[in-house]
Amino acid sequence: MPLRVGIDLVRVEDVARAVRESGDRYLRRIYTEQEVADCRTGDGAGVDEERLAARFAAKEAAIKVLRPDDQPVPWRDIEIRRMPGGWTALELDGRAAALARDAGLEELAVSLTHEQGFASAVVIAEVPTRCR
Amino acid sequence: MSDEIRRILAEHARLPVPVDTLSDDADLYQAGMTSHASVTVMLALEDAFDVEFPDHMLTRGVFESIDSISAALREIQAAVA
């Protein structure tokens, strides 16, 4: 079965700068409440910028799989969820979900990574043969 | 408006080339603006022009060039006026 794949790489310092300069405005535009909660540091006062950067990379990778052309896809329509077993899953809402439905994409799989100042993510989806 | 947009791009777009070497219709992504840099540019534009980009304008095309950014800002300002 044919696949669609998306990948993105983000510099963690870029996310850190956005948090410093725009704070909650940045967080609210890009991330869901659950994503921010999943990225809170141990004391809950700050956010782990590596985790945020990885989630941003995952959103961009998902957008590449969805192939919106020039249709708008709000970043919050794509949510990265941390599963109890430690892996991450991707949930779509709104316009992102509509694009997936139109393309016949039933599930998008995601994997995140971050190290040495960079974060990356890859998203893969199977494309039903009738929707190639 | 174009001068202010150029100032914001110089500060936030993380371009590997000077903004003043780019024409108003130059493709900013091809010039090196990353997807995350387009987010910080968007937030800075919102601050500078006291607007908020609505969801239907969160497209690659809106932030593709100085011309497209200008057009989007004028559309938002006209809608608010």
Side-chain angles (χ1 to χ4, degrees), chain A residues 18 23 27 33 38 55-57 71 75 77 84 99-100 103 107 122:
Chain A
L27 293 175
E33 288 183 11
D38 286 345
R55 279 155 177 77
F56 184 86
Q71 295 181 61
W75 292 280
D77 280 2
L99 284 167
E107 183 177 353
V122 64

Side-chain angles (χ1 to χ4, degrees), chain B:
Chain B
M1 181 179 283
S2 174
D3 287 346
E4 181 65 5
I5 294 171
R6 285 178 177 274
R7 183 193 67 77
I8 288 169
L9 290 172
E11 184 172 348
H12 295 282
R14 296 189 63 87
L15 293 169
V17 298
V19 173
D20 58 12
T21 66
L22 300 174
S23 63
D24 285 353
D25 64 349
D27 188 315
L28 297 172
Y29 296 105
Q30 287 195 4
M33 186 172 71
T34 65
S35 52
H36 194 273
S38 73
V39 171
T40 57
V41 165
M42 177 191 74
L43 293 172
L45 289 167
E46 291 183 338
D47 268 343
F49 292 94
D50 194 25
V51 297
E52 182 169 323
F53 285 89
D55 280 357
H56 76 268
M57 284 191 168
L58 297 180
T59 69
R60 186 180 175 90
V62 163
F63 301 97
E64 190 172 57
S65 68
I66 293 168
D67 279 345
S68 63
I69 293 172
S70 294
L73 288 170
R74 283 195 296 272
E75 181 179 329
I76 296 170
Q77 290 172 334
V80 170

Side-chain angles (χ1 to χ4, degrees), chain A residues 5-8 55-66 78 90 108 110 121-124:
Chain A
V5 62
I7 189 169
D8 201 65
R55 279 155 177 77
F56 184 86
K59 292 170 188 278
E60 288 294 315
I63 289 171
K64 291 175 183 177
V65 167
L66 294 172
I78 302 166
L90 199 150
L108 276 64
V110 64
V122 64
V123 172
I124 296 177

Side-chain angles (χ1 to χ4, degrees), chain A residues 32-95:
Chain A
T32 65
E33 288 183 11
Q34 186 59 53
E35 287 176 323
V36 174
D38 286 345
C39 294
R40 286 288 176 199
T41 52
D43 60 5
V47 287
D48 186 316
E49 291 131 358
E50 285 187 329
R51 291 184 192 172
L52 286 176
R55 279 155 177 77
F56 184 86
K59 292 170 188 278
E60 288 294 315
I63 289 171
K64 291 175 183 177
V65 167
L66 294 172
R67 300 180 185 177
D69 198 359
D70 203 36
Q71 295 181 61
V73 183
W75 292 280
R76 288 168 56 101
D77 280 2
I78 302 166
E79 182 179 52
I80 311 307
R81 295 186 181 178
R82 175 188 290 173
M83 306 307 286
W87 63 85
T88 50
L90 199 150
E91 293 289 332
L92 303 180
D93 194 12
R95 295 177 193 263

